[in-house]
Amino acid sequence: MLPASLIVKKRDGGELTRSEIRFLIDGLVTGQVADYQIAAWAMAVVLRGMTPAETAELTLAMFESGQRLERDSGQDGGSRGRRPRLDKHSTGGLGDKVSLILAPLLACHGVVVPMISGRGLGLTGGTLDKLESIPGFRVDLEPAEQSRQLDRVGCFIIGASDRIAPADRRLYSLRDVTGTVESVPLITASILAKKLAESLDRLVIDVKVGSGAFMKSLPDATELARSLVETGRLAGLETTAFLTDMDQPLGRAIGNAIEVNEAWEVLTGKGPPEVAELTVRLAAQGLADVGLADSSEAAVEGLRRSLRTGAAAERFLRMVEAQGGRFTGKLPLAPMTEIVAPRLGHVAAVDCARLGRAVVELGGGRQHLKSPIDPAVGLEILVRIGDPVAAGQPWLRVFGELEEESMRELSSAVTLADEPVAPRPLILDTLGGNR
Ligand code: URA
C-alpha cells in the first residue's frame, strides 16, 4: 500500500478502512511512512473530516501503538473487592484546577482514579505543572508504585510515559507545526487514545467553551463533545461530556502554586463556590455512570459532605505524600500588586486571553514544551461576570513582576457595563451518560 494513494483517497473525501488507518499509524511509529506524508494526510483530514468509524479506528490504532496501565486485583481494590475505574478529562481552560480536587474526592467514594495528566502549553495551565509546585511531588511513578498507590489511596495523578500512545505524541508534534491541530476527529482520537490506556470503566469529559478555551463557540464545542461521546462508545469506552463555560476563569486563582492553594481551600469546604460546584457535578456524573449512585443528583450531597468534613482533603494529603510531596496547606507566592476598578459599574466581560498571556509573561506558563515554570507567580481575579463593582475596588492581584505596559494591558482585561449584567451559567449542557 502506498501512503500517497491513501492521502489522495482522503483528499477526495473517501473513507479509509481499518487496515489503511493501521498502515498509516504503524508507519508513523516505525518511521516507514515519512513525516511529510503523515502531515499531508492530517491536512486532508482537517479539510475532509472523518466518519465516526474512521475516528474510532484511528483512536484504537493510536492507543494500541503503546501500552496500557494494567488492571490487576491490586489496582482494583485487592481485599476490598472490585472497585470501578473512572477518570475525568478537561479540554483545558484558565484556572481549571478541578482535577486536583476531583481525583481524591472520587477516591473517597469507592472509585479508583488512575489519572494521566498533561503539562501546560500557551495560555492554559497543566495539572502536572500545578502539582509540581508542591516540593518533592513526583509525576513519574513506576508501574509497581502506581498499583500500590491505587490500592492504598485510590488515586494518582501522573504524566504520560513514552509508552502511552506514542503514535499520538508523534502525530501531535507534526500537527502542532502544520496547522492541523484544530480538527475534531484528530482531537477526539488524541484525547481518547490516552484515556483508553488507563483501562477505565467510564470517562467524564469537560469540554470548555469560550474565550479562555480551545473551543470558542458553543456549536464547535458541541461538535467535539458529540464526537468524543460517539467515538468513546465505538472504541469501547463509554463517555459523558459536559459543556462548561470558559468565558471567564474558573475560580479566582490562575497560575501554579496559587491554584494548588485554591484547590486546597475547596478541599477543605471553602474556596470559590463555582469551583466546588463544577467538581461535585462532574464527580456526581461519574458516580452515576459507574453505578455507585442511582442518579447524579443523588450523589451530589454525599460529595459536598466529603468536602465539608475534610475527608477529601485528607485523601489529597495521602495522594501527595504517596507521590513524595510535602504540603502543609499553603504554598508560597511571589510579592503581590493589586489592580483596582477605574469606576463604578457591573462586570460584563473578562478577556481570558489577556489574563493567560500575563501568566505566561510572569513566567507561570510556557511558550515551548521545555520552557521552565515559576510556580510562585500568577493572578487572582476577584470579580465574576455580573458582579457590581465600586470605583477603586481591588479586582485583580498580580503575583510577580510585569512590565508597566503589560500591567496597563492587564488593567483593561475586565470590561464594565453601566447596566446590571446577568451572571453566566457554569454548565451549559451534558451529552451521554446516566442521569
Ligand atoms: N488535547 C489533546 O490531548 N490532543 C489534542 O489534539 C488537542 C488537545
Side-chain angles (χ1 to χ4, degrees):
M1 212 166 358
L2 280 174
S5 65
L6 302 187
I7 298 165
V8 170
K9 185 173 175 189
K10 190 72 250 173
R11 184 202 67 191
D12 293 344
E15 180 172 357
L16 298 191
T17 64
R18 178 170 198 267
S19 64
E20 288 169 335
I21 290 172
R22 296 271 160 168
F23 175 82
L24 283 174
I25 295 304
D26 289 350
L28 168 71
V29 175
T30 58
Q32 274 165 344
V33 175
D35 284 357
Y36 50 81
Q37 290 182 304
I38 296 289
W41 166 79
M43 185 57 85
V45 171
V46 169
L47 300 175
R48 289 297 194 160
M50 282 182 127
T51 64
E54 280 179 301
T55 312
E57 285 303 344
L58 177 64
T59 304
L60 288 167
M62 295 213 298
F63 154 54
E64 286 164 18
S65 72
Q67 296 174 355
R68 59 161 72 210
L69 306 185
E70 283 307 333
R71 218 178 147 136
D72 58 34
S73 58
Q75 286 189 349
D76 294 331
S79 56
R80 284 185 289 277
R82 189 182 186 283
R83 289 177 291 174
R85 281 165 83 104
L86 174 66
D87 193 10
K88 185 264 338 173
H89 175 82
S90 160
T91 57
L94 216 57
D96 184 357
K97 68 276 298 171
V98 164
S99 292
L100 306 184
I101 310 158
L102 178 132
L105 176 61
L106 277 172
C108 294
H109 288 259
V111 172
V112 169
V113 188
M115 191 179 279
I116 298 179
S117 282
R119 296 197 178 277
L121 186 59
L123 302 188
T124 55
T127 298
L128 299 183
D129 299 315
K130 293 169 198 177
L131 283 167
E132 281 180 343
S133 59
I134 300 175
F137 194 94
R138 288 174 50 213
V139 299
D140 56 343
L141 302 182
E142 292 301 323
E145 294 175 301
Q146 293 171 14
S147 292
R148 204 165 44 243
Q149 188 166 328
L150 288 187
D151 188 21
R152 294 184 186 163
V153 184
C155 61
F156 59 62
I157 304 180
I158 59 171
S161 74
D162 294 347
R163 298 182 294 271
I164 301 293
D168 173 61
R169 201 173 280 240
R170 293 217 53 199
L171 181 56
Y172 192 88
S173 62
L174 292 177
R175 288 166 59 207
D176 198 26
V177 291
T178 54
T180 53
V181 167
E182 275 153 58
S183 147
V184 165
L186 294 181
I187 296 170
T188 300
S190 170
I191 292 174
L192 290 179
K194 289 172 286 204
K195 291 293 142 186
L196 278 165
E198 294 179 1
S199 306
L200 301 172
D201 290 307
R202 297 291 297 227
L203 175 65
V204 178
I205 295 200
D206 182 5
V207 179
K208 300 282 186 197
V209 194
S211 66
F214 202 46
M215 292 289 166
K216 308 281 180 229
S217 76
L218 190 56
D220 285 352
T222 305
E223 190 191 344
L224 177 60
R226 284 212 182 100
S227 171
L228 287 161
V229 171
E230 181 163 19
T231 308
R233 187 172 47 74
L234 292 173
L237 175 55
E238 287 288 332
T239 299
T240 306
F242 278 57
L243 291 153
T244 72
D245 179 59
M246 197 26 80
D247 267 335
Q248 60 189 329
L250 182 67
R252 294 161 56 138
I254 313 161
N256 293 288
I258 192 169
E259 288 198 40
V260 173
N261 290 347
E262 187 170 275
W264 178 251
E265 283 184 29
V266 175
L267 280 160
T268 50
K270 304 184 286 281
E274 62 278 6
V275 181
E277 180 62 14
L278 181 57
T279 308
V280 163
R281 293 283 161 185
L282 291 164
Q285 183 65 49
L287 291 181
D289 287 348
V290 296
L292 286 180
D294 291 339
S295 66
S296 70
E297 207 46 51
V300 164
E301 195 36 49
L303 290 161
R304 287 198 184 127
R305 196 176 322 112
S306 296
L307 294 177
R308 272 198 313 272
T309 58
E314 189 257 345
R315 193 66 68 124
F316 176 79
L317 290 180
R318 280 171 58 194
M319 176 182 82
V320 168
E321 194 190 343
Q323 293 188 232
R326 297 177 300 281
F327 181 69
T328 51
K330 208 164 181 76
L331 295 170
L333 301 178
M336 188 266 285
T337 316
E338 219 156 49
I339 299 179
V340 299
R343 66 180 181 86
L344 177 101
H346 300 265
V347 177
V350 176
D351 185 340
C352 288
R354 198 166 284 189
L355 299 180
R357 276 201 304 276
V359 174
V360 172
E361 202 179 320
L362 283 162
R366 51 168 81 76
Q367 309 274 25
H368 307 287
L369 257 177
K370 298 252 169 342
S371 339
I373 290 263
D374 181 348
V377 299
L379 299 175
E380 194 176 4
I381 177 159
L382 307 175
V383 291
R384 288 187 68 73
I385 293 174
D387 284 356
V389 294
Q393 177 181 327
W395 66 2
L396 262 174
R397 291 186 181 138
V398 182
F399 296 84
E401 269 184 43
L402 281 179
E403 303 278 332
E404 219 169 287
E405 175 64 31
S406 309
M407 244 356 216
R408 248 195 315 276
E409 229 201 59
L410 191 56
S411 312
S412 54
V414 183
T415 307
L416 288 176
D418 295 328
E419 301 303 319
V421 176
R424 296 185 61 84
L426 187 57
I427 297 172
L428 308 171
D429 205 354
T430 313
L431 277 74
N434 300 336
R435 287 292 162 258

